Amino acid sequence: GAVVSQHPSRVICKSGTSVKIECRSLDFQATTMFWYRQFPKKSLMLMATSNEGSKATYEQGVEKDKFLINHASLTLSTLTVTSAHPEDSSFYICSARDHGDTGELFFGEGSRLTVL
Amino acid sequence: GQNIDQPTEMTATEGAIVQINCTYQTSGFNGLFWYQQHAGEAPTFLSYNVLDGLEEKGRFSSFLSRSKGYSYLLLKELQMKDSASYLCAVMDSNYQLIWGAGTKLIIKP
């Protein structure tokens, strides 16, 4: 099956710094990728939909300037957490859909961000 | 509003059968997904139902009734490794996934 790779899997950073997380579709082209955030014992929260070659669509309540999303190619989307604070510590997961809108959704391995 | 309901937690015995239910109310329907998620890991795909009926895949089966807004995931011959959270998600008319909070399944020897 299709594979989505996410990097890094774990990152620890100091408050005020920026962190970039990459999401790659390894064996298929993904015009759309999704970025989620998950808090302990809670379901996935969709942060934004990343569209190749255009601006990301952010969900209500998600700060666009804080969570920068770039989808520069059909196989790569990046999420940059700018000026990270301890409350940004979370598990961030990307996903990509194979075969258009109704295809199976594949998830990356997730990235656990800890901001000190 | 859009809503996905599934039990918070269930307990079952190794070797037994367990059924995890999911009811939904969404703006449109373009399929229902079940995902498995082990603690600290990303979800992995289990099944996709878009038509009514039962889809069987090994020890796991998924059922859908669109008229009732209802689905269940059936796990047979439970193994300890099946201890995980099971997430129900519905794709709405905009092809966005609406996620349930997940059901934590605890398997006891």
Side-chain angles (χ1 to χ4, degrees):
Chain A
V3 176
V4 174
S5 177
Q6 192 172 336
H7 177 80
S9 58
R10 293 180 184 274
V11 57
I12 300 173
C13 69
K14 293 182 178 181
S15 184
T17 60
S18 294
V19 175
K20 179 184 285 188
I21 302 170
E22 292 186 348
C23 180
R24 295 180 183 273
S25 56
L26 298 185
D27 55 359
F28 67 100
Q29 293 184 331
T31 54
T32 304
M33 291 185 174
F34 304 91
W35 287 96
Y36 296 87
R37 181 173 177 175
Q38 187 172 37
F39 296 93
K41 300 182 180 180
K42 291 188 178 181
S43 186
L44 298 172
M45 183 191 81
L46 178 65
M47 298 174 64
T49 302
S50 171
N51 304 296
E52 187 268 335
S54 64
K55 292 183 179 181
T57 303
Y58 289 82
E59 296 299 302
Q60 192 172 10
V62 178
E63 298 176 61
K64 301 178 182 181
D65 295 332
K66 182 162 189 62
F67 300 99
L68 300 178
I69 291 173
N70 183 277
H71 195 149
S73 74
L74 287 172
T75 59
L76 174 65
S77 176
T78 61
L79 167 68
T80 302
V81 183
T82 62
S83 187
H85 291 284
E87 57 265 31
D88 299 325
S89 298
S90 189
F91 193 46
Y92 293 88
I93 309 174
C94 74
S95 68
R97 183 169 290 140
D98 194 7
H99 297 118
D101 286 338
T102 58
E104 179 182 333
L105 196 66
F106 294 92
F107 284 88
E109 304 93 331
S111 299
R112 184 163 298 283
L113 171 63
T114 303
V115 184
L116 303 177
Chain B
Q2 309 207 92
N3 194 49
I4 309 288
D5 284 319
Q6 51 182 132
T8 304
E9 187 174 297
M10 299 182 70
T11 303
T13 305
E14 189 177 16
I17 299 173
V18 71
Q19 177 174 311
I20 303 174
N21 295 324
C22 172
T23 58
Y24 62 90
Q25 291 177 308
T26 57
S27 302
F29 180 83
N30 278 303
L32 184 144
F33 296 78
W34 283 97
Y35 282 83
Q36 180 191 61
Q37 185 177 25
H38 287 98
E41 298 179 9
T44 55
F45 172 81
L46 290 178
S47 68
Y48 171 65
N49 294 65
V50 67
L51 299 176
D52 289 350
L54 186 68
E55 295 275 347
E56 298 187 74
K57 189 184 295 184
R59 293 189 299 115
F60 292 6
S61 302
S62 57
F63 171 83
L64 174 67
S65 170
R66 288 171 296 173
S67 61
K68 296 181 180 179
Y70 168 69
S71 172
Y72 67 71
L73 179 69
L74 190 71
L75 293 76
K76 303 177 184 177
E77 302 170 16
L78 286 170
Q79 302 174 10
M80 297 304 293
K81 67 178 183 178
D82 296 330
S83 292
S85 286
Y86 292 84
L87 306 175
C88 172
V90 173
M91 186 178 291
D92 68 10
S93 57
N94 295 317
Y95 297 102
Q96 297 300 317
L97 278 178
I98 313 300
W99 293 88
T103 299
K104 182 178 181 180
L105 179 61
I106 299 169
I107 309 296
K108 296 185 176 180

